[in-house]
PDB file of all heavy atoms in Angstrom:
ATOM      1  N   ILE A 119      89.175 124.477  66.394  1.00  0.00           N
ATOM      2  CA  ILE A 119      89.362 125.517  67.393  1.00  0.00           C
ATOM      3  C   ILE A 119      90.778 126.072  67.317  1.00  0.00           C
ATOM      4  O   ILE A 119      91.716 125.346  67.030  1.00  0.00           O
ATOM      5  CB  ILE A 119      89.071 124.930  68.808  1.00  0.00           C
ATOM      6  CG1 ILE A 119      88.454 125.976  69.680  1.00  0.00           C
ATOM      7  CG2 ILE A 119      90.280 124.312  69.450  1.00  0.00           C
ATOM      8  CD1 ILE A 119      87.027 126.260  69.318  1.00  0.00           C
ATOM      9  N   THR A 120      90.901 127.377  67.531  1.00  0.00           N
ATOM     10  CA  THR A 120      92.215 127.999  67.642  1.00  0.00           C
ATOM     11  C   THR A 120      92.543 128.118  69.124  1.00  0.00           C
ATOM     12  O   THR A 120      91.732 128.623  69.893  1.00  0.00           O
ATOM     13  CB  THR A 120      92.178 129.419  67.018  1.00  0.00           C
ATOM     14  OG1 THR A 120      91.943 129.284  65.622  1.00  0.00           O
ATOM     15  CG2 THR A 120      93.474 130.163  67.250  1.00  0.00           C
ATOM     16  N   SER A 121      93.694 127.617  69.524  1.00  0.00           N
ATOM     17  CA  SER A 121      94.114 127.767  70.919  1.00  0.00           C
ATOM     18  C   SER A 121      95.450 128.479  70.931  1.00  0.00           C
ATOM     19  O   SER A 121      96.335 128.142  70.148  1.00  0.00           O
ATOM     20  CB  SER A 121      94.278 126.403  71.596  1.00  0.00           C
ATOM     21  OG  SER A 121      93.026 125.833  71.828  1.00  0.00           O
ATOM     22  N   SER A 144      90.848 126.276  76.588  1.00  0.00           N
ATOM     23  CA  SER A 144      90.457 125.629  75.338  1.00  0.00           C
ATOM     24  C   SER A 144      88.997 125.171  75.455  1.00  0.00           C
ATOM     25  O   SER A 144      88.672 124.346  76.300  1.00  0.00           O
ATOM     26  CB  SER A 144      91.355 124.434  75.067  1.00  0.00           C
ATOM     27  OG  SER A 144      90.738 123.604  74.100  1.00  0.00           O
ATOM     28  N   PRO A 145      88.118 125.704  74.610  1.00  0.00           N
ATOM     29  CA  PRO A 145      86.705 125.357  74.750  1.00  0.00           C
ATOM     30  C   PRO A 145      86.409 123.888  74.478  1.00  0.00           C
ATOM     31  O   PRO A 145      85.481 123.329  75.046  1.00  0.00           O
ATOM     32  CB  PRO A 145      85.995 126.256  73.738  1.00  0.00           C
ATOM     33  CG  PRO A 145      87.043 126.700  72.789  1.00  0.00           C
ATOM     34  CD  PRO A 145      88.340 126.683  73.533  1.00  0.00           C
ATOM     35  N   ILE A 146      87.221 123.242  73.646  1.00  0.00           N
ATOM     36  CA  ILE A 146      86.936 121.825  73.385  1.00  0.00           C
ATOM     37  C   ILE A 146      87.339 120.985  74.597  1.00  0.00           C
ATOM     38  O   ILE A 146      86.626 120.061  74.994  1.00  0.00           O
ATOM     39  CB  ILE A 146      87.594 121.317  72.071  1.00  0.00           C
ATOM     40  CG1 ILE A 146      87.244 119.861  71.818  1.00  0.00           C
ATOM     41  CG2 ILE A 146      89.087 121.506  72.026  1.00  0.00           C
ATOM     42  CD1 ILE A 146      85.787 119.547  71.612  1.00  0.00           C
ATOM     43  N   VAL A 147      88.458 121.350  75.223  1.00  0.00           N
ATOM     44  CA  VAL A 147      88.849 120.634  76.437  1.00  0.00           C
ATOM     45  C   VAL A 147      87.780 120.854  77.515  1.00  0.00           C
ATOM     46  O   VAL A 147      87.355 119.914  78.201  1.00  0.00           O
ATOM     47  CB  VAL A 147      90.247 121.090  76.917  1.00  0.00           C
ATOM     48  CG1 VAL A 147      90.590 120.453  78.257  1.00  0.00           C
ATOM     49  CG2 VAL A 147      91.311 120.724  75.883  1.00  0.00           C
ATOM     50  N   ARG A 150      84.649 118.804  76.827  1.00  0.00           N
ATOM     51  CA  ARG A 150      84.837 117.387  77.170  1.00  0.00           C
ATOM     52  C   ARG A 150      84.626 117.188  78.668  1.00  0.00           C
ATOM     53  O   ARG A 150      84.045 116.195  79.098  1.00  0.00           O
ATOM     54  CB  ARG A 150      86.259 116.949  76.779  1.00  0.00           C
ATOM     55  CG  ARG A 150      86.479 116.903  75.271  1.00  0.00           C
ATOM     56  CD  ARG A 150      87.966 116.739  74.947  1.00  0.00           C
ATOM     57  NE  ARG A 150      88.221 116.731  73.513  1.00  0.00           N
ATOM     58  CZ  ARG A 150      89.415 116.925  72.969  1.00  0.00           C
ATOM     59  NH1 ARG A 150      90.466 117.172  73.739  1.00  0.00           N
ATOM     60  NH2 ARG A 150      89.568 116.894  71.670  1.00  0.00           N
ATOM     61  N   ASN A 158      87.501 109.431  73.762  1.00  0.00           N
ATOM     62  CA  ASN A 158      87.805 110.004  72.458  1.00  0.00           C
ATOM     63  C   ASN A 158      88.199 108.863  71.521  1.00  0.00           C
ATOM     64  O   ASN A 158      89.236 108.228  71.687  1.00  0.00           O
ATOM     65  CB  ASN A 158      88.930 111.031  72.582  1.00  0.00           C
ATOM     66  CG  ASN A 158      88.971 111.954  71.379  1.00  0.00           C
ATOM     67  OD1 ASN A 158      88.677 111.537  70.261  1.00  0.00           O
ATOM     68  ND2 ASN A 158      89.359 113.189  71.593  1.00  0.00           N
ATOM     69  N   ARG A 160      89.244 107.532  67.942  1.00  0.00           N
ATOM     70  CA  ARG A 160      89.925 108.064  66.761  1.00  0.00           C
ATOM     71  C   ARG A 160      90.371 106.933  65.821  1.00  0.00           C
ATOM     72  O   ARG A 160      91.476 106.400  65.954  1.00  0.00           O
ATOM     73  CB  ARG A 160      91.124 108.911  67.197  1.00  0.00           C
ATOM     74  CG  ARG A 160      90.678 110.091  68.013  1.00  0.00           C
ATOM     75  CD  ARG A 160      91.774 111.052  68.353  1.00  0.00           C
ATOM     76  NE  ARG A 160      91.198 112.384  68.513  1.00  0.00           N
ATOM     77  CZ  ARG A 160      91.854 113.445  68.907  1.00  0.00           C
ATOM     78  NH1 ARG A 160      93.136 113.380  69.154  1.00  0.00           N
ATOM     79  NH2 ARG A 160      91.243 114.596  69.023  1.00  0.00           N
ATOM     80  N   ARG A 182      91.220 107.174  73.404  1.00  0.00           N
ATOM     81  CA  ARG A 182      91.929 108.146  74.244  1.00  0.00           C
ATOM     82  C   ARG A 182      91.028 108.564  75.397  1.00  0.00           C
ATOM     83  O   ARG A 182      89.919 109.039  75.161  1.00  0.00           O
ATOM     84  CB  ARG A 182      92.282 109.359  73.376  1.00  0.00           C
ATOM     85  CG  ARG A 182      92.694 110.585  74.144  1.00  0.00           C
ATOM     86  CD  ARG A 182      92.882 111.773  73.201  1.00  0.00           C
ATOM     87  NE  ARG A 182      93.169 112.972  73.966  1.00  0.00           N
ATOM     88  CZ  ARG A 182      93.252 114.184  73.440  1.00  0.00           C
ATOM     89  NH1 ARG A 182      93.080 114.368  72.135  1.00  0.00           N
ATOM     90  NH2 ARG A 182      93.500 115.229  74.203  1.00  0.00           N
ATOM     91  N   ASN A 184      89.552 111.040  77.876  1.00  0.00           N
ATOM     92  CA  ASN A 184      89.333 112.391  77.361  1.00  0.00           C
ATOM     93  C   ASN A 184      89.100 113.461  78.420  1.00  0.00           C
ATOM     94  O   ASN A 184      88.877 114.617  78.078  1.00  0.00           O
ATOM     95  CB  ASN A 184      88.097 112.320  76.441  1.00  0.00           C
ATOM     96  CG  ASN A 184      88.182 113.207  75.233  1.00  0.00           C
ATOM     97  OD1 ASN A 184      89.274 113.620  74.826  1.00  0.00           O
ATOM     98  ND2 ASN A 184      87.040 113.525  74.663  1.00  0.00           N
ATOM     99  N   TYR A 189      95.709 116.429  80.911  1.00  0.00           N
ATOM    100  CA  TYR A 189      94.859 117.532  80.448  1.00  0.00           C
ATOM    101  C   TYR A 189      93.682 117.770  81.398  1.00  0.00           C
ATOM    102  O   TYR A 189      92.686 118.381  81.032  1.00  0.00           O
ATOM    103  CB  TYR A 189      94.334 117.274  79.033  1.00  0.00           C
ATOM    104  CG  TYR A 189      95.399 117.152  77.952  1.00  0.00           C
ATOM    105  CD1 TYR A 189      96.754 117.270  78.244  1.00  0.00           C
ATOM    106  CD2 TYR A 189      95.044 116.917  76.635  1.00  0.00           C
ATOM    107  CE1 TYR A 189      97.720 117.145  77.259  1.00  0.00           C
ATOM    108  CE2 TYR A 189      95.998 116.797  75.634  1.00  0.00           C
ATOM    109  CZ  TYR A 189      97.336 116.905  75.957  1.00  0.00           C
ATOM    110  OH  TYR A 189      98.289 116.780  74.982  1.00  0.00           O
ATOM    111  N   ASN A 316      94.876 110.632  78.407  1.00  0.00           N
ATOM    112  CA  ASN A 316      94.593 111.806  77.595  1.00  0.00           C
ATOM    113  C   ASN A 316      95.779 112.303  76.743  1.00  0.00           C
ATOM    114  O   ASN A 316      95.693 112.353  75.514  1.00  0.00           O
ATOM    115  CB  ASN A 316      94.103 112.902  78.556  1.00  0.00           C
ATOM    116  CG  ASN A 316      93.100 113.827  77.914  1.00  0.00           C
ATOM    117  OD1 ASN A 316      93.059 113.938  76.698  1.00  0.00           O
ATOM    118  ND2 ASN A 316      92.316 114.499  78.731  1.00  0.00           N
ATOM    119  N   GLY A 319      97.273 109.660  74.449  1.00  0.00           N
ATOM    120  CA  GLY A 319      96.313 109.407  73.376  1.00  0.00           C
ATOM    121  C   GLY A 319      96.312 110.530  72.352  1.00  0.00           C
ATOM    122  O   GLY A 319      96.159 110.297  71.148  1.00  0.00           O
ATOM    123  N   ASP A 320      96.487 111.749  72.815  1.00  0.00           N
ATOM    124  CA  ASP A 320      96.579 112.902  71.916  1.00  0.00           C
ATOM    125  C   ASP A 320      97.775 112.715  70.978  1.00  0.00           C
ATOM    126  O   ASP A 320      97.679 112.874  69.760  1.00  0.00           O
ATOM    127  CB  ASP A 320      96.748 114.164  72.778  1.00  0.00           C
ATOM    128  CG  ASP A 320      96.712 115.448  71.962  1.00  0.00           C
ATOM    129  OD1 ASP A 320      96.165 115.424  70.846  1.00  0.00           O
ATOM    130  OD2 ASP A 320      97.229 116.474  72.455  1.00  0.00           O
ATOM    131  N   ILE A 321      98.903 112.332  71.583  1.00  0.00           N
ATOM    132  CA  ILE A 321     100.142 112.191  70.813  1.00  0.00           C
ATOM    133  C   ILE A 321     100.052 111.017  69.838  1.00  0.00           C
ATOM    134  O   ILE A 321     100.315 111.151  68.639  1.00  0.00           O
ATOM    135  CB  ILE A 321     101.332 112.018  71.780  1.00  0.00           C
ATOM    136  CG1 ILE A 321     101.533 113.315  72.577  1.00  0.00           C
ATOM    137  CG2 ILE A 321     102.593 111.622  71.032  1.00  0.00           C
ATOM    138  CD1 ILE A 321     102.506 113.204  73.726  1.00  0.00           C
ATOM    139  N   SER A 323      97.528 109.531  68.625  1.00  0.00           N
ATOM    140  CA  SER A 323      96.513 109.629  67.568  1.00  0.00           C
ATOM    141  C   SER A 323      96.979 110.528  66.423  1.00  0.00           C
ATOM    142  O   SER A 323      96.593 110.321  65.271  1.00  0.00           O
ATOM    143  CB  SER A 323      95.148 110.066  68.115  1.00  0.00           C
ATOM    144  OG  SER A 323      95.216 111.299  68.770  1.00  0.00           O
ATOM    145  N   ASP A 324      97.818 111.518  66.702  1.00  0.00           N
ATOM    146  CA  ASP A 324      98.392 112.289  65.593  1.00  0.00           C
ATOM    147  C   ASP A 324      99.349 111.426  64.775  1.00  0.00           C
ATOM    148  O   ASP A 324      99.392 111.508  63.543  1.00  0.00           O
ATOM    149  CB  ASP A 324      99.136 113.536  66.105  1.00  0.00           C
ATOM    150  CG  ASP A 324      98.222 114.751  66.223  1.00  0.00           C
ATOM    151  OD1 ASP A 324      96.993 114.565  66.311  1.00  0.00           O
ATOM    152  OD2 ASP A 324      98.728 115.897  66.216  1.00  0.00           O
ATOM    153  N   ALA A 338      87.308 112.104  64.659  1.00  0.00           N
ATOM    154  CA  ALA A 338      87.274 111.837  66.101  1.00  0.00           C
ATOM    155  C   ALA A 338      85.869 112.004  66.651  1.00  0.00           C
ATOM    156  O   ALA A 338      85.091 112.823  66.160  1.00  0.00           O
ATOM    157  CB  ALA A 338      88.234 112.769  66.846  1.00  0.00           C
ATOM    158  N   ASN A 340      84.048 112.532  70.486  1.00  0.00           N
ATOM    159  CA  ASN A 340      84.123 112.697  71.945  1.00  0.00           C
ATOM    160  C   ASN A 340      82.824 112.170  72.511  1.00  0.00           C
ATOM    161  O   ASN A 340      81.771 112.781  72.328  1.00  0.00           O
ATOM    162  CB  ASN A 340      84.244 114.175  72.313  1.00  0.00           C
ATOM    163  CG  ASN A 340      85.478 114.825  71.709  1.00  0.00           C
ATOM    164  OD1 ASN A 340      86.569 114.692  72.237  1.00  0.00           O
ATOM    165  ND2 ASN A 340      85.297 115.525  70.590  1.00  0.00           N
ATOM    166  N   GLU A 349      84.258 115.780  66.058  1.00  0.00           N
ATOM    167  CA  GLU A 349      85.174 116.794  65.520  1.00  0.00           C
ATOM    168  C   GLU A 349      86.350 116.130  64.836  1.00  0.00           C
ATOM    169  O   GLU A 349      86.869 115.128  65.320  1.00  0.00           O
ATOM    170  CB  GLU A 349      85.716 117.675  66.663  1.00  0.00           C
ATOM    171  CG  GLU A 349      86.365 116.868  67.763  1.00  0.00           C
ATOM    172  CD  GLU A 349      87.399 117.637  68.591  1.00  0.00           C
ATOM    173  OE1 GLU A 349      87.895 118.681  68.123  1.00  0.00           O
ATOM    174  OE2 GLU A 349      87.724 117.180  69.672  1.00  0.00           O
ATOM    175  N   PRO A 350      86.808 116.669  63.718  1.00  0.00           N
ATOM    176  CA  PRO A 350      88.023 116.112  63.120  1.00  0.00           C
ATOM    177  C   PRO A 350      89.210 116.371  64.045  1.00  0.00           C
ATOM    178  O   PRO A 350      89.174 117.300  64.861  1.00  0.00           O
ATOM    179  CB  PRO A 350      88.161 116.876  61.804  1.00  0.00           C
ATOM    180  CG  PRO A 350      87.361 118.124  61.984  1.00  0.00           C
ATOM    181  CD  PRO A 350      86.293 117.825  62.979  1.00  0.00           C
ATOM    182  N   THR A 351      90.253 115.581  63.906  1.00  0.00           N
ATOM    183  CA  THR A 351      91.420 115.731  64.786  1.00  0.00           C
ATOM    184  C   THR A 351      92.199 117.009  64.471  1.00  0.00           C
ATOM    185  O   THR A 351      92.902 117.539  65.325  1.00  0.00           O
ATOM    186  CB  THR A 351      92.321 114.481  64.633  1.00  0.00           C
ATOM    187  OG1 THR A 351      91.538 113.314  64.934  1.00  0.00           O
ATOM    188  CG2 THR A 351      93.498 114.506  65.569  1.00  0.00           C
ATOM    189  N   HIS A 352      92.061 117.519  63.231  1.00  0.00           N
ATOM    190  CA  HIS A 352      92.885 118.686  62.852  1.00  0.00           C
ATOM    191  C   HIS A 352      92.447 119.964  63.559  1.00  0.00           C
ATOM    192  O   HIS A 352      91.355 120.077  64.091  1.00  0.00           O
ATOM    193  CB  HIS A 352      92.886 118.883  61.340  1.00  0.00           C
ATOM    194  CG  HIS A 352      91.545 119.206  60.732  1.00  0.00           C
ATOM    195  ND1 HIS A 352      90.874 120.383  60.980  1.00  0.00           N
ATOM    196  CD2 HIS A 352      90.760 118.507  59.874  1.00  0.00           C
ATOM    197  CE1 HIS A 352      89.737 120.395  60.285  1.00  0.00           C
ATOM    198  NE2 HIS A 352      89.640 119.262  59.619  1.00  0.00           N
ATOM    199  N   GLY A 353      93.337 120.947  63.517  1.00  0.00           N
ATOM    200  CA  GLY A 353      93.058 122.244  64.125  1.00  0.00           C
ATOM    201  C   GLY A 353      92.450 123.213  63.122  1.00  0.00           C
ATOM    202  O   GLY A 353      91.915 122.809  62.079  1.00  0.00           O
TER     203      GLY A 353
HETATM  204  C1  IPM B   4      93.059 117.237  69.826  1.00  0.00           C
HETATM  205  C2  IPM B   4      93.690 118.583  69.940  1.00  0.00           C
HETATM  206  C3  IPM B   4      93.223 119.216  71.238  1.00  0.00           C
HETATM  207  C4  IPM B   4      93.696 118.320  72.341  1.00  0.00           C
HETATM  208  C5  IPM B   4      93.686 120.650  71.466  1.00  0.00           C
HETATM  209  C6  IPM B   4      93.264 121.553  70.354  1.00  0.00           C
HETATM  210  C7  IPM B   4      93.230 121.179  72.790  1.00  0.00           C
HETATM  211  O1  IPM B   4      95.067 118.481  69.867  1.00  0.00           O
HETATM  212  O2  IPM B   4      91.833 117.149  69.889  1.00  0.00           O
HETATM  213  O3  IPM B   4      93.783 116.263  69.674  1.00  0.00           O
HETATM  214  O4  IPM B   4      94.845 118.355  72.720  1.00  0.00           O
HETATM  215  O5  IPM B   4      92.909 117.525  72.814  1.00  0.00           O
END
Side-chain angles (χ1 to χ4, degrees):
I119 214 74
T120 294
S121 287
S144 163
I146 182 63
V147 174
R150 291 169 182 163
N158 198 326
R160 298 186 152 175
R182 165 186 175 187
N184 216 20
Y189 298 0
N316 212 338
D320 186 22
I321 293 170
S323 58
D324 271 21
N340 300 279
E349 55 156 341
T351 303
H352 64 67

